[in-house]
């Protein structure tokens, strides 16, 4: 168990290889917030999943940095001071931070860093600590909305040629039936195709979803607003294609209600959205009990967050390919050693903790500001 004495917050700007556009906004660069915990003989890294704008959920990078600086880190440092010897483990972090409402992505980043420090200290990999059973994970790729149908078809074919076996298309009213039909036809049996609406059909006509239902898609993700579980349940009853929820599921309590209502039959798990890796594991465990398949979502993470996602996705219930892509899907240069696609899969890191750490040169090149607290 590490003694956490200080926490560094580092903002970085990483250029994306191509802009990424979905119903919740467009990203040209990735605005990254990295958390590093420091103590006597302890160091651990975490990455905040929040995006630059509060358009996926209410969190955003700048707000996450502020709540970490002013509320979460002081509580962590105080909490560490109150436990015997000043040592705190990753599993204790959520409890220490529970007095602060909301801000799951900021909390998850701090938990990830403390857990990395703890596991590095005892030489255990994150996958092993969480109960992972796979050594590699099937990769998937998410494609943002494009300017033309031809553009998205070309991109989908190129990723399948690289070895990706699951393609997810971002959709919204006006960008749905045409591109998805074209990609489905172009890929044939070479890859599974699924769609993600990020809630964009809330208050809109649902006819396009009926047309998408005829295309044999693997799933339709989050068509309606996050809190509209009843609407999702009604829609699920009308569609043959499985409905999957993302933004609606902030933890195991949400997952339980959604499954009880029949609002989804597949769950996308993101540790940031759930407030941390341990809560993400609880969602996984519930879904395993209910025989509901899960997969790991992505937030355009650098190698730090990607390593944590891969460790999580090595658990047995992650039976569907996630939004887990190689580093070169997003970045010319990642913060860590790049994750590389091999036969359509990514290896789960096996080293202590996250099993990766940022390269000093990459940190120096992409950092825009650093602050030390404690
Ligand atoms: Mg999603």
């Amino acid at each position: 168990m590490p003694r956490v004495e200080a926490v560094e917050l580092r903002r970085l700007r990483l250029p994306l290889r191509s802009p990424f556009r979905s119903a919740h906004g467009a990203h040209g660069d990735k605005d990254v917030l990295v958390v590093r915990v420091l103590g006597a003989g302890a160091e651990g890294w975490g990455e905040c999943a929040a995006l630059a704008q509060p358009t996926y959920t209410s969190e955003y990078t700048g707000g996450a940095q502020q709540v970490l600086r002013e509320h979460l880190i002081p509580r962590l440092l105080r909490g560490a001071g109150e436990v015997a010897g000043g040592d705190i483990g990753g599993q204790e972090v959520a409890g220490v931070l529970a007095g602060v409402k909301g801000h799951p992505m900021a909390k998850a980043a701090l938990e990830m860093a403390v857990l990395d420090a703890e596991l590095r200290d005892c030489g255990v990999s994150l996958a092993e600590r969480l109960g992972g059973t796979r050594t590699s994970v099937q990769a998937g790729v998410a494609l943002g909305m494009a300017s033309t149908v031809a553009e998205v078809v070309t991109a989908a074919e190129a990723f399948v040629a690289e070895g990706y076996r699951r393609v997810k298309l971002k959709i919204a009213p006006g960008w749905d039936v045409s591109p998805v039909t074209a990609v489905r036809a172009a890929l044939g049996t070479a890859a599974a195709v699924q769609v993600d609406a990020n809630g964009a059909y809330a208050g809109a006509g649902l006819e396009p979803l009926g047309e998408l239902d005829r295309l044999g898609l693997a799933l339709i993700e989050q068509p309606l607003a996050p809190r509209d579980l009843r609407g999702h349940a009604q829609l699920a009853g009308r569609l043959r294609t499985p409905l999957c929820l993302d933004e609606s599921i902030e933890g195991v309590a949400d997952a339980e209600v959604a499954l009880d209502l029949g609002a989804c039959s597949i769950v996308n798990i993101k540790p940031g959205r759930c407030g941390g890796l341990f809560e993400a594991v609880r969602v996984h465990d519930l879904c395993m009990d209910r025989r509901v398949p899960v997969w790991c979502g992505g937030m355009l993470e650098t190698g730090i967050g990607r390593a944590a996602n891969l460790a999580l996705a090595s658990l047995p219930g992650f039976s569907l390919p996630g939004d887990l892509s190689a580093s070169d899907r997003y970045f010319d240069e990642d913060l860590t050693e790049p994750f590389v696609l091999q036969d359509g899969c990514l290896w789960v890191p096996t080293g202590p903790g996250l099993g990766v750490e940022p390269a000093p040169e990459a940190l120096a090149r992409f950092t825009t500001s650093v602050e030390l607290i404690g």
Side-chain angles (χ1 to χ4, degrees):
M1 294 283 187
R3 175 186 296 259
V4 177
E5 290 163 349
V7 181
E8 182 188 88
L9 295 177
R10 181 183 291 262
R11 279 292 270 285
L12 308 98
R13 182 163 291 278
L14 266 75
L16 290 174
R17 291 186 70 176
S18 56
F20 191 86
R21 191 154 65 88
S22 70
H24 63 76
H27 308 279
D29 293 335
K30 180 73 203 290
D31 181 7
V32 178
L33 174 62
V34 163
V35 176
R36 181 185 179 207
V37 299
L38 298 156
E43 182 189 46
W45 295 87
E47 176 174 350
C48 182
L51 302 172
Q53 306 279 332
T55 49
Y56 165 72
T57 61
S58 61
E59 286 187 281
Y60 62 102
T61 320
Q65 183 166 2
Q66 183 180 24
V67 78
L68 277 158
R69 178 201 305 123
E70 294 180 15
H71 301 284
L72 299 177
I73 293 170
R75 276 176 164 79
L76 179 81
L77 296 173
R78 265 203 315 277
E82 283 161 11
V83 298
D87 297 344
I88 189 162
Q91 196 148 23
E92 294 161 296
V93 172
V96 167
L97 305 181
V100 174
K101 304 301 178 207
H103 303 282
M105 295 181 188
K107 291 173 176 173
L110 200 48
E111 182 198 80
M112 191 191 302
V114 173
L115 188 55
D116 183 38
E118 173 193 341
L119 296 178
R120 286 213 231 180
D121 193 45
C122 60
V124 172
S125 75
L126 179 59
E128 185 183 344
R129 174 69 180 83
L130 298 179
T133 53
R134 287 189 192 89
T135 55
S136 70
V137 169
Q138 276 189 291
V141 68
L143 299 182
M145 298 191 289
S147 307
T148 65
V149 169
E151 199 180 315
V152 76
V153 169
T154 303
E157 287 175 331
F159 283 115
V160 171
E162 277 184 49
Y164 290 99
R165 291 288 169 266
R166 191 226 69 178
V167 172
K168 168 169 130 177
L169 300 178
K170 292 289 192 178
I171 59 166
W175 180 264
D176 43 34
V177 179
S178 304
V180 180
T181 304
V183 168
R184 179 63 287 176
L187 298 183
T189 56
V193 176
Q194 62 193 57
V195 295
D196 182 9
N198 292 105
Y201 292 85
L206 301 181
E207 300 77 17
L209 302 179
E211 294 194 48
L212 294 177
D213 195 34
R214 292 196 274 272
L215 297 178
L217 303 177
L219 58 89
I220 296 174
E221 181 179 351
Q222 197 74 48
L224 306 176
R227 300 183 71 171
D228 189 7
L229 293 179
R230 191 187 350 215
H232 280 106
Q234 287 166 350
L235 188 58
R238 296 205 298 270
L239 299 177
R240 275 168 302 180
T241 312
L243 271 198
C244 170
L245 290 177
D246 171 356
E247 286 92 329
S248 297
I249 309 297
E250 293 185 357
V252 69
D254 291 339
E256 195 160 17
V257 174
L259 294 175
D260 285 349
L261 289 175
C264 66
S265 54
I266 296 176
V267 175
N268 166 345
I269 300 181
K270 292 176 180 168
R273 196 193 63 224
C274 292
L277 287 157
F278 292 104
E279 185 68 14
V281 170
R282 282 191 279 275
V283 177
H284 161 272
D285 293 349
L286 171 82
C287 291
M288 278 270 285
D289 281 350
R290 305 266 189 115
R291 300 180 190 282
V292 169
V294 303
W295 54 279
C296 183
M299 296 291 291
L300 314 177
E301 288 94 345
T302 74
I304 301 172
R306 197 167 304 273
N309 285 344
L310 284 167
L312 179 67
S314 74
L315 270 68
F318 285 82
S319 54
L320 300 174
D323 285 341
L324 298 168
S325 308
S327 296
D328 69 2
R329 158 71 184 99
Y330 296 113
F331 307 110
D332 282 322
E333 184 184 0
D334 204 335
L335 278 188
T336 63
E337 273 289 295
F339 286 95
V340 178
L341 195 67
Q342 264 189 333
D343 297 327
C345 294
L346 296 170
W347 291 102
V348 177
T350 54
L354 293 171
V356 298
E357 61 180 17
E361 319 80 63
L363 279 181
R365 181 154 39 248
F366 298 124
T367 295
T368 55
S369 67
V370 186
E371 59 179 320
L372 187 69
I373 296 148

